[in-house]
Amino acid sequence: MFNLFVPDIIYGSVYDIDFVSLKKRNITGLIFDIDNTLVSYKRDKPDENVINLMNRLKKAGFAVCFVSNNSKQRVDTFNRDFKYFSFSNAKKPLKKSMCRALESMNLTNENVAVIGDQLFTDVAAARRIKAIAVLVNPIEPVDSLFFKFKRMLEKPFIKTYYKRLEKFKRIREWI
């Protein structure tokens, strides 16, 4: 149960992700959260950086899908110019929308990475479909009491990730 919330990889932002490395691991599909992963909650459309990133990913041969817990209007507005498969009101970490995303991209979980900013929704959803779970730092801190509490609850899982990473580095040095 604890591992449900521990990501496979953590990056500072979507722009730090080593997509070449993912491609080498046979990852050909990317499921992105939108809010606070690609744009702040306050922005309804993708900015130039997001557009450039999506164009690079398309050129690199990645299939892209957006899965968000936000409303259909929000997701459709964001996806209007991309026209990727997208699923709103996803109820992450439930699996239904994630499985629909896999089907829409015609991929299996072994070939997909889920990228988001929250452990209890994005990472847990990735784990539940047995895909690679990529956590990025939120673009903008949300000041609500609920989010502050949630971020506090995430800390032990983040620590576990870094402990495992350090252990793995020591093992690699030893070999």
Side-chain angles (χ1 to χ4, degrees):
M1 179 69 169
F2 188 84
N3 288 329
L4 182 67
F5 305 114
V6 179
D8 293 301
I9 312 167
I10 297 178
Y11 288 102
S13 78
V14 292
Y15 306 106
D16 298 325
I17 297 173
D18 184 352
F19 291 104
V20 172
S21 177
L22 288 177
K23 197 73 156 180
K24 286 179 183 174
R25 292 175 71 177
N26 206 25
I27 300 299
T28 56
L30 305 168
I31 298 174
F32 281 95
D33 175 49
I34 295 172
D35 295 317
N36 241 0
T37 298
L38 291 170
V39 294
S40 80
Y41 286 99
K42 298 171 186 167
R43 188 173 184 91
D44 61 343
K45 295 181 182 174
D47 61 21
E48 193 172 323
N49 292 328
V50 173
I51 293 167
N52 291 337
L53 174 64
M54 293 301 138
N55 288 336
R56 282 196 340 263
L57 294 174
K58 188 175 185 177
K59 281 182 185 174
F62 285 102
V64 173
C65 183
F66 301 123
V67 177
S68 174
N69 285 349
N70 213 322
S71 70
K72 180 171 175 36
Q73 180 182 354
R74 162 73 167 137
V75 174
D76 288 349
T77 298
F78 181 85
N79 190 30
R80 183 172 292 130
D81 293 332
F82 296 124
K83 296 179 179 54
Y84 291 131
F85 290 108
S86 64
F87 300 92
S88 57
N89 300 307
K91 297 180 178 71
K92 292 179 288 184
L94 298 180
K95 291 171 32 173
K96 185 177 181 181
S97 291
M98 302 303 282
C99 291
R100 290 174 60 207
L102 290 174
E103 289 172 16
S104 70
M105 293 188 294
N106 200 27
L107 294 171
T108 63
N109 58 334
E110 294 93 10
N111 304 110
V112 171
V114 178
I115 302 164
D117 70 305
Q118 294 188 55
L119 294 179
F120 301 128
T121 56
D122 305 311
V123 170
R127 287 276 181 246
R128 295 196 69 213
I129 63 167
K130 296 178 175 52
I132 297 293
V134 179
L135 181 71
V136 295
N137 292 330
I139 290 173
E140 186 175 299
V142 179
D143 288 334
S144 75
L145 190 57
F146 173 73
F147 270 93
K148 286 180 181 180
F149 180 69
K150 203 155 100 167
R151 295 296 182 201
M152 183 186 72
L153 292 176
E154 291 178 341
K155 286 181 181 179
F157 304 104
I158 302 292
K159 278 186 177 180
T160 298
Y161 166 81
Y162 283 110
K163 283 180 185 176
R164 289 179 183 174
L165 185 64
E166 189 59 37
K167 182 179 178 181
F168 179 72
K169 284 180 183 177
R170 285 194 310 267
I171 291 170
R172 287 188 64 191
E173 290 169 1
W174 185 74
I175 296 175

